[in-house]
Structure formats: C-alpha cells, structure tokens
Amino acid sequence: MSEADIKPVRKRYHALDSGRAIMLLLGIPFHISEMYRISGGWVIDSGEQSFLASLITAVVHSFRMPGFFILAGFFAAMLLDRRSPKDWMKNRLTRLLIPLLASLLALGGWEVYWANLGTGMTSAEAFADTLTTFPFTWVNHRWFIVVLLVYCCAIALYYTVRASLPDRFHSKMRRLFCHPFAVLVFLPLVAPFAGIVLAKVLGNDITGPYLRNIVSYAPLFFAGAVIFQDRKLYDAIFQPGAIQRLLAVLLLLIYCLTYFAFYKDGLGSGWTKTAATVVHLAASGIGGVLISSLFFFYIFKFFDKPNPIIRYFVSGSLVMYLAHEAFFRPMGVIFQTISFSAELEMLIINVLTLVGVVLTFEIVRRYAVTRYLFNGGSISPPLPDHMILTSNFRADIAKKAAKA
C-alpha cells in the first residue's frame, strides 16, 4: 500500500470552493455594470444608461457579499476546529493583509487616477488628487479584506478564551445566536439598520462605510461559523427547500424593485423615499441570507465535483479580483468618448478585463515573490488551504504505508 492509496479523511467542499471563487469573480461584471446603471453617479459614469446594467448590479449585489461572508465564516470555523487560534490568525494575516497592502500599493493609485480622469479632471489634477487621497481612496474594492480581518480577529479571540468561559455563557449564546430564526431572519434584518445608525453616530466620511459594513455583514460571517457546527442550519443555508427558494425569489424581486440603480432621480422624496429605503434594507438583510441560499443550492447542483477549469479559477480568483479594476477603469474612461451601445461596450470591457486578469494571474503564479505578495503564499497546493494535511496525519499515512 502506498501513500497515494490512503484517502484523506477530511471532506473537500468542491461546491463551496467554487461558490467563493464565483462570488469574487462576479465582482468584475458587477463593477463594470456600475458604470452604465440608470442612476449613474458611480466613480466612472459612462453617460449611457442601461436597464441590463442596473439589473446585473441589483441581482449580483443582492447575494454576492452576503454569501461571501457566510462562506468566510464557515471556512473560518472549519480551520479553527483544526488549528490553534494563533496559528490560524498568523495564516489569515499572511493570506489577507499582505495581498491587500501589495495590491493597494501596486494598483490603487493607478485605479484612482483613472477614476479622477473619468470625472473630467485634467491629467495633472487627477495625479495630484491621487497622491493627496492616499491611502484611503486607494483601498477601493479591497474594502472587504479590511472587514474580513476584523471578523478574523474577533473569532480568533473567541476561540482563544472560550475554554475559560462558563458553560452557562455558552448555553445562552447558543439559544440567542444559534436559533434558526435568529440566524436566518432576526439578526440579518436588524444588522443593516444598526450599521447605518452606528456609521452616522461614530463614523465620518472615511470610517463610516467600514463601520456600516462591519456591522451589516457580521451576522452573516458568524452565521457561517455556526453553520459549520449545526447540521440543520447547514441544510437550511446550503440545501434550501422549495418554499425557502420561493421566498428567496420574492425577496430578490423586492430587492430589485427598491434598488437605487434603477432610478435616475433616486427613490422619490419624503415618506416615499423613507418607505422604499426601509423596505430595501429589510429585503437586503433577510434576502442576503435567503438569496445566498438559493445561489448555494445551484452551486451544489452544478459545481460539487472536481473540474480542472473551475479549479483554475478557484486558485486565481483572489488575484483576478484584486487586479480587475486596474483594467476596466481605463477602458471605462476611453469608452466615454466612443458611441457604441451600452450593452456592446459592457461586453467588450468584460471580455478584455477577463483576459487581462487571467494574464495577470499567469504572471503572478509563476514567481514565488509575486505569489507571496498577491496571494499570500502558494497558488495551487495539493489541497485547498482549509484541507492541507497536518504533519501528524502525514506521519500516520507513512506508518500505514510501511506496514502494508
């Protein structure tokens, strides 16, 4: 018997790996569509309006980040079940903080410069503004890494001290935060409103958006962590029934009808705007969970088996996402002076951006230093990073192979 004949005992979540990569890569058409939405007003405004662009932004925005943070919490709990909090946190800092800083320094200024040009600034004005707004505007689409690092610190701290906490505390926390109604409805519903209030009370133009996002997505991250321990919640999120899928579709419809990207003059004024905003926030909170569960249902249906093409994009998804705005922002500015239809321009920019990020990934994965800087380490390990075999398990395999 050889080492290869002994199968690893740990489950490999092909569907969830694929889902995480797909949600990252959906950021490419999402951000490109933002330039063409009916409401306008994004950092680069094409000046052309497209219902398709608004629809893409609404549908993708309804589940992409909620689903991503659910998976982040799930995989965090999985890893912390196998590693010490200290080792896990050291790994997260390497995997997240280094790519954040490296991509911010390498690409952030370029992205901001082109966004400034897109607003009508001269080249000199755009360059000066790019330098004076460092580093805050340079973060751009990388904000989710900042939020994720906050969650990682919180859950690592909990796993560090949980053994010293009384059983009574754990029981109360389970009753409060592990009940299906709390995980699926109450906490996701309350969080978006709480995030807005906290951002207004404690935040400013720079910290406000981060405070809002940290509070808004926190229930989803920690729901993901709970799901890893609870089979019923696991099924509710990843294998929703027909009624739950129908509710998800209804919430998606409500979310789209109240999504600002469809309205050139906003959601009205006075009580009309207030009511629409409240309905939208409610739909985004509960819908963030249920629409994500609909997404996961189909991910398990179609992506639950290994596939070399899917595996390639799983390996490259972070690098591709970090690089994508460096490609489409210049094209967005260029197309401001070209009179194609909005849909054709979107198609061209999406295709060229995809080619650009794939080539970027090909360069990054070929050199140890670029793999470390932009991916926090290896690109294609024998197993995903949440399934790397421990040294003890490898030793057991070697012993069994020697005895065979």
Side-chain angles (χ1 to χ4, degrees), residues 297-336:
F297 175 82
Y298 288 104
I299 287 295
F300 271 97
K301 200 174 184 67
F302 298 109
F303 295 94
D304 202 22
K305 293 183 179 179
N307 181 292
I309 297 176
I310 297 299
R311 184 61 188 161
Y312 175 84
F313 284 98
V314 168
S315 298
S317 58
L318 178 61
V319 174
M320 294 177 188
Y321 181 75
L322 292 176
H324 78 282
E325 291 208 10
F327 290 97
F328 83 77
R329 286 194 180 199
M331 287 186 279
V333 174
I334 292 170
F335 273 102
Q336 285 179 328

Side-chain angles (χ1 to χ4, degrees), residues 4-224:
D5 295 324
I6 303 174
K7 304 296 183 183
V9 296
R10 295 176 180 174
K11 182 175 177 59
R12 186 167 182 170
Y13 292 93
H14 296 288
L16 298 186
D17 271 338
S18 300
R20 181 169 52 182
I22 289 171
M23 284 184 286
L24 276 175
L25 295 176
L26 279 174
I28 297 175
F30 170 74
H31 287 133
I32 291 172
S33 298
E34 288 273 77
M35 297 189 296
Y36 295 88
R37 66 194 189 192
I38 294 172
S39 63
W42 198 61
V43 289
I44 297 176
D45 191 339
S46 70
E48 301 179 56
Q49 299 175 9
S50 168
F51 176 82
L52 177 62
S54 292
L55 183 62
I56 291 172
T57 61
V59 172
V60 173
H61 196 262
S62 69
F63 73 89
R64 189 175 75 92
M65 294 316 298
F68 176 84
F69 282 114
I70 288 172
L71 286 189
F74 181 86
F75 285 128
M78 176 187 290
L79 282 165
L80 283 165
D81 197 51
R82 301 167 182 171
R83 302 181 185 180
S84 70
K86 181 179 178 181
D87 289 342
W88 177 79
M89 195 63 211
K90 187 184 300 182
N91 176 271
R92 291 302 89 190
L93 288 174
T94 302
R95 288 285 187 177
L96 297 174
L97 185 59
I98 290 175
L100 167 65
L101 296 176
S103 62
L104 182 151
L105 293 173
L107 303 174
W110 171 264
E111 296 159 357
V112 174
Y113 172 76
W114 282 98
N116 289 338
L117 288 181
T119 63
M121 290 185 185
T122 65
S123 181
E125 291 171 338
F127 183 72
D129 183 80
T130 299
L131 294 180
T132 57
T133 56
F134 172 83
F136 304 108
T137 59
W138 292 32
V139 176
N140 297 332
H141 57 293
R142 302 168 190 86
W143 65 267
F144 78 97
I145 299 181
V146 179
V147 174
L148 189 53
L149 283 169
V150 172
Y151 297 157
C152 288
C153 291
I155 197 171
L157 178 63
Y158 168 73
Y159 271 76
T160 300
V161 303
R162 66 174 181 170
S164 61
L165 297 173
D167 292 339
R168 184 172 53 186
F169 173 82
H170 292 296
S171 298
K172 288 183 178 180
M173 291 300 101
R174 287 193 198 97
R175 286 196 298 269
L176 181 61
F177 293 107
C178 298
H179 191 280
F181 179 79
V183 172
L184 300 176
V185 179
F186 179 71
L187 293 175
L189 176 63
V190 171
F193 296 95
I196 290 175
V197 172
L198 186 65
K200 288 186 176 181
V201 173
L202 300 179
N204 53 39
D205 291 342
I206 295 171
T207 62
Y210 287 100
L211 288 172
R212 184 180 68 245
N213 287 331
I214 287 170
V215 174
S216 297
Y217 292 118
L220 302 169
F221 178 85
F222 293 103

Side-chain angles (χ1 to χ4, degrees), residues 58 251-260 262-263 267 276 280:
L251 283 168
L252 176 59
L253 178 61
I254 295 171
Y255 184 91
C256 290
L257 289 174
T258 55
Y259 193 64
F260 69 91
F262 288 101
Y263 304 97
L267 296 172
H280 179 74

